[in-house]
Coordinates of all heavy atoms in Angstrom, one line a residue:
Chain A
D256 N -14.4 13.4 0.1 CA -13.8 14.7 0.0 C -13.7 15.2 -1.4 O -13.4 14.4 -2.3 CB -12.4 14.7 0.6 CG -12.4 14.5 2.1 OD1 -13.3 15.1 2.8 OD2 -11.5 13.8 2.6
L257 N -14.0 16.5 -1.6 CA -13.7 17.1 -2.9 C -12.8 18.3 -2.7 O -12.9 18.9 -1.6 CB -15.0 17.5 -3.6 CG -15.9 16.4 -4.2 CD1 -17.2 17.0 -4.8 CD2 -15.2 15.6 -5.2
P258 N -12.0 18.7 -3.6 CA -11.0 19.7 -3.4 C -11.5 21.1 -3.6 O -10.7 22.0 -3.9 CB -9.9 19.4 -4.4 CG -10.6 18.8 -5.5 CD -11.8 18.0 -4.9
L259 N -12.8 21.4 -3.4 CA -13.3 22.8 -3.4 C -14.4 22.9 -2.4 O -14.8 22.0 -1.8 CB -13.6 23.2 -4.8 CG -14.2 22.3 -5.9 CD1 -15.5 21.7 -5.3 CD2 -14.4 23.0 -7.2
V260 N -15.0 24.1 -2.3 CA -16.0 24.4 -1.3 C -17.3 23.9 -1.8 O -17.8 24.2 -2.9 CB -16.1 25.9 -1.1 CG1 -17.1 26.2 0.0 CG2 -14.7 26.5 -0.7
T261 N -17.9 23.1 -0.9 CA -19.2 22.5 -1.2 C -20.2 22.7 -0.1 O -19.9 23.1 1.0 CB -19.1 20.9 -1.4 OG1 -18.7 20.4 -0.2 CG2 -18.0 20.6 -2.5
D262 N -21.5 22.5 -0.5 CA -22.6 22.5 0.5 C -23.2 21.2 0.6 O -23.2 20.4 -0.4 CB -23.6 23.6 0.1 CG -23.1 25.0 0.2 OD1 -22.3 25.4 -0.7 OD2 -23.5 25.7 1.1
P263 N -23.7 20.8 1.8 CA -24.3 19.4 1.9 C -25.6 19.3 1.2 O -26.3 20.3 0.9 CB -24.5 19.3 3.4 CG -24.6 20.7 3.9 CD -23.8 21.6 3.0
G264 N -26.0 18.0 0.9 CA -27.3 17.8 0.3 C -28.4 18.2 1.2 O -28.2 18.3 2.4
V265 N -29.6 18.5 0.7 CA -30.7 19.0 1.5 C -31.6 17.9 1.8 O -31.8 16.9 1.0 CB -31.4 20.1 0.8 CG1 -30.4 21.3 0.6 CG2 -32.0 19.7 -0.5
T266 N -32.2 17.9 3.0 CA -33.1 16.9 3.5 C -34.6 17.3 3.3 O -35.5 16.5 3.6 CB -32.9 16.5 4.9 OG1 -32.9 17.6 5.7 CG2 -31.5 15.8 5.1
E267 N -34.8 18.5 3.0 CA -36.2 19.0 2.8 C -36.3 19.8 1.6 O -35.5 20.7 1.3 CB -36.7 19.9 4.0 CG -36.8 19.1 5.3 CD -37.1 20.0 6.5 OE1 -37.7 21.1 6.2 OE2 -36.8 19.6 7.6
W268 N -37.4 19.6 0.8 CA -37.6 20.4 -0.4 C -39.1 20.4 -0.7 O -39.7 19.3 -0.8 CB -36.9 19.8 -1.6 CG -37.2 20.5 -2.9 CD1 -37.8 20.0 -4.0 CD2 -36.8 21.8 -3.3 NE1 -37.9 20.9 -5.0 CE2 -37.3 22.0 -4.6 CE3 -36.1 22.9 -2.6 CZ2 -37.1 23.2 -5.3 CZ3 -36.0 24.1 -3.3 CH2 -36.4 24.2 -4.6
E269 N -39.7 21.6 -0.7 CA -41.2 21.7 -0.9 C -41.9 20.8 0.1 O -41.6 20.9 1.3 CB -41.5 21.5 -2.4 CG -40.9 22.6 -3.2 CD -41.2 22.5 -4.7 OE1 -41.5 21.5 -5.2 OE2 -41.0 23.6 -5.3
D270 N -42.7 19.9 -0.3 CA -43.4 19.1 0.8 C -42.7 17.7 1.0 O -43.3 16.8 1.5 CB -44.9 18.9 0.5 CG -45.1 18.4 -0.9 OD1 -44.1 18.2 -1.7 OD2 -46.3 18.2 -1.3
E271 N -41.5 17.5 0.5 CA -40.8 16.3 0.6 C -39.7 16.3 1.7 O -39.1 17.4 2.0 CB -40.1 15.9 -0.7 CG -40.9 15.9 -1.9 CD -41.6 14.5 -2.1 OE1 -40.9 13.5 -1.9 OE2 -42.8 14.5 -2.5
T272 N -39.4 15.2 2.3 CA -38.3 15.0 3.2 C -37.5 13.8 2.7 O -38.0 12.9 2.2 CB -38.6 14.8 4.7 OG1 -39.4 13.7 4.8 CG2 -39.4 16.0 5.2
Y273 N -36.2 13.9 2.9 CA -35.3 12.8 2.4 C -34.5 12.2 3.5 O -34.2 12.9 4.6 CB -34.3 13.4 1.3 CG -35.0 14.1 0.2 CD1 -34.7 15.5 -0.1 CD2 -36.0 13.5 -0.5 CE1 -35.3 16.2 -1.1 CE2 -36.7 14.2 -1.5 CZ -36.3 15.5 -1.8 OH -36.9 16.2 -2.8
D274 N -34.0 11.0 3.3 CA -33.1 10.3 4.2 C -31.9 11.2 4.7 O -31.3 11.9 3.8 CB -32.5 9.1 3.5 CG -31.8 8.1 4.4 OD1 -30.9 8.6 5.2 OD2 -32.2 6.9 4.4
E275 N -31.7 11.2 5.9 CA -30.6 12.1 6.5 C -29.2 11.9 5.8 O -28.4 12.8 5.7 CB -30.5 11.8 8.0 CG -29.7 12.8 8.8 CD -30.3 14.2 8.8 OE1 -31.5 14.4 8.7 OE2 -29.5 15.2 8.9
A276 N -29.0 10.7 5.3 CA -27.8 10.3 4.7 C -27.5 11.2 3.4 O -26.3 11.3 3.0 CB -27.7 8.8 4.3
V277 N -28.5 11.8 2.8 CA -28.2 12.6 1.6 C -27.4 13.8 1.9 O -26.9 14.5 1.0 CB -29.5 12.9 0.8 CG1 -30.3 11.7 0.5 CG2 -30.4 14.0 1.6
T278 N -27.3 14.2 3.2 CA -26.5 15.3 3.6 C -25.0 15.1 3.3 O -24.2 16.0 3.2 CB -26.6 15.7 5.0 OG1 -26.2 14.6 5.8 CG2 -28.0 16.1 5.4
R279 N -24.6 13.8 3.1 CA -23.2 13.4 2.7 C -23.0 13.7 1.2 O -21.8 13.7 0.8 CB -23.0 11.9 3.0 CG -23.1 11.6 4.4 CD -23.0 10.1 4.7 NE -23.2 9.8 6.1 CZ -23.7 8.7 6.6 NH1 -23.9 7.7 5.7 NH2 -23.9 8.5 7.8
A280 N -24.0 14.0 0.4 CA -23.8 14.4 -0.9 C -23.3 15.8 -1.0 O -23.5 16.6 0.1 CB -25.1 14.3 -1.7
K281 N -22.8 16.3 -2.1 CA -22.2 17.6 -2.1 C -22.9 18.4 -3.3 O -23.0 18.0 -4.4 CB -20.7 17.5 -2.4 CG -20.0 16.8 -1.2 CD -18.5 16.9 -1.3 CE -17.8 16.0 -0.3 NZ -18.1 16.4 1.1
R282 N -23.3 19.6 -2.9 CA -23.8 20.6 -3.8 C -22.7 21.6 -4.1 O -22.0 22.1 -3.2 CB -25.0 21.4 -3.2 CG -26.2 20.5 -3.0 CD -27.4 21.2 -2.5 NE -28.6 20.5 -3.0 CZ -29.3 20.9 -4.0 NH1 -29.0 22.1 -4.6 NH2 -30.3 20.2 -4.4
I283 N -22.5 21.9 -5.4 CA -21.5 22.9 -5.8 C -22.2 24.1 -6.4 O -22.8 23.9 -7.5 CB -20.4 22.3 -6.7 CG1 -19.6 21.2 -6.0 CG2 -19.5 23.4 -7.2 CD1 -20.1 19.8 -6.2
Y284 N -22.3 25.2 -5.7 CA -22.9 26.4 -6.2 C -21.9 27.3 -6.9 O -20.7 27.4 -6.5 CB -23.6 27.1 -5.1 CG -24.7 26.4 -4.5 CD1 -24.7 26.0 -3.1 CD2 -25.9 26.1 -5.2 CE1 -25.8 25.3 -2.6 CE2 -27.0 25.5 -4.7 CZ -26.9 25.1 -3.3 OH -28.0 24.4 -2.8
P285 N -22.3 27.9 -8.0 CA -21.4 28.7 -8.8 C -20.6 29.8 -8.1 O -19.5 30.1 -8.4 CB -22.3 29.3 -9.9 CG -23.4 28.3 -10.0 CD -23.7 27.8 -8.6
H286 N -21.3 30.4 -7.1 CA -20.6 31.5 -6.4 C -19.6 31.1 -5.4 O -18.7 31.9 -4.9 CB -21.6 32.4 -5.7 CG -22.4 31.7 -4.6 ND1 -23.3 30.6 -4.9 CD2 -22.5 31.9 -3.3 CE1 -23.9 30.2 -3.8 NE2 -23.4 30.9 -2.8
R287 N -19.5 29.8 -5.0 CA -18.6 29.3 -4.0 C -17.1 29.3 -4.6 O -16.2 29.6 -3.9 CB -19.0 27.9 -3.5 CG -20.2 27.9 -2.7 CD -20.0 28.5 -1.4 NE -21.0 28.0 -0.5 CZ -21.4 28.6 0.7 NH1 -20.7 29.7 1.0 NH2 -22.3 28.1 1.5
N288 N -17.0 28.7 -5.8 CA -15.7 28.6 -6.3 C -15.5 29.2 -7.7 O -14.6 28.9 -8.5 CB -15.3 27.0 -6.5 CG -15.7 26.3 -5.2 OD1 -14.9 26.2 -4.3 ND2 -16.9 25.7 -5.2
D289 N -16.5 30.0 -8.1 CA -16.6 30.6 -9.5 C -16.5 29.5 -10.6 O -15.6 29.5 -11.4 CB -15.4 31.6 -9.7 CG -15.7 32.5 -10.9 OD1 -16.9 32.5 -11.3 OD2 -14.8 33.1 -11.3
T290 N -17.4 28.5 -10.4 CA -17.5 27.4 -11.4 C -18.9 27.3 -11.9 O -19.8 28.1 -11.5 CB -17.2 26.0 -10.7 OG1 -18.1 25.8 -9.7 CG2 -15.8 26.1 -10.1
G291 N -19.2 26.2 -12.7 CA -20.6 25.8 -13.0 C -21.2 25.2 -11.8 O -20.5 25.0 -10.7
G292 N -22.5 24.9 -11.8 CA -23.2 24.3 -10.7 C -23.1 22.8 -10.9 O -23.1 22.2 -12.0
F293 N -23.2 22.0 -9.7 CA -23.0 20.6 -9.8 C -23.5 19.9 -8.6 O -23.7 20.6 -7.5 CB -21.5 20.3 -10.0 CG -21.2 19.1 -10.9 CD1 -21.5 19.1 -12.2 CD2 -20.7 17.9 -10.3 CE1 -21.2 18.0 -13.0 CE2 -20.5 16.8 -11.1 CZ -20.7 16.9 -12.5
F294 N -23.8 18.6 -8.7 CA -24.2 17.8 -7.6 C -23.4 16.5 -7.7 O -23.3 15.9 -8.8 CB -25.7 17.5 -7.6 CG -26.2 16.7 -6.5 CD1 -26.5 17.3 -5.3 CD2 -26.3 15.3 -6.6 CE1 -27.0 16.5 -4.2 CE2 -26.8 14.5 -5.6 CZ -27.1 15.1 -4.4
C295 N -22.9 16.0 -6.5 CA -22.2 14.7 -6.6 C -22.3 14.0 -5.3 O -22.3 14.5 -4.2 CB -20.7 15.1 -6.8 SG -19.6 13.7 -7.1
A296 N -22.6 12.7 -5.4 CA -22.8 11.8 -4.3 C -22.0 10.5 -4.5 O -21.8 10.0 -5.6 CB -24.2 11.5 -4.0
K297 N -21.4 10.0 -3.4 CA -20.7 8.7 -3.5 C -21.4 7.7 -2.7 O -21.8 7.9 -1.5 CB -19.3 8.9 -2.9 CG -18.4 7.7 -3.1 CD -16.9 8.1 -2.7 CE -16.0 6.9 -3.0 NZ -14.6 7.4 -2.9
L298 N -21.7 6.5 -3.3 CA -22.4 5.4 -2.7 C -21.5 4.2 -2.6 O -20.6 4.0 -3.4 CB -23.7 5.0 -3.5 CG -24.8 6.1 -3.6 CD1 -24.5 7.1 -4.7 CD2 -26.1 5.4 -3.8
R299 N -21.8 3.4 -1.5 CA -21.1 2.1 -1.4 C -22.1 1.0 -1.4 O -23.2 1.1 -0.8 CB -20.4 2.1 0.0 CG -19.6 0.8 0.2 CD -18.9 0.9 1.6 NE -18.1 -0.3 1.8 CZ -18.6 -1.5 2.2 NH1 -19.9 -1.6 2.4 NH2 -17.8 -2.5 2.4
V300 N -21.9 0.0 -2.3 CA -22.8 -1.1 -2.4 C -22.6 -2.0 -1.2 O -21.5 -2.3 -0.8 CB -22.6 -1.9 -3.7 CG1 -23.5 -3.0 -3.8 CG2 -22.7 -0.9 -4.9
D301 N -23.7 -2.4 -0.5 CA -23.7 -3.2 0.7 C -23.0 -4.5 0.4 O -23.0 -5.1 -0.6 CB -25.1 -3.4 1.2 CG -25.7 -2.2 1.8 OD1 -24.9 -1.2 2.0 OD2 -26.9 -2.1 2.1

Side-chain angles (χ1 to χ4, degrees):
Chain A
D256 291 321
L257 288 179
L259 33 61
V260 180
T261 64
D262 289 76
V265 299
T266 55
E267 292 177 25
W268 174 247
E269 297 181 339
D270 54 356
E271 303 275 320
T272 58
Y273 308 124
D274 191 308
E275 192 64 26
V277 304
T278 57
R279 295 173 186 155
K281 297 187 189 300
R282 295 183 150 259
I283 294 95
Y284 292 116
H286 60 297
R287 293 284 202 201
N288 313 276
D289 198 16
T290 63
F293 215 69
F294 180 86
C295 189
K297 185 169 186 170
L298 294 83
R299 182 182 182 280
V300 179
D301 288 348

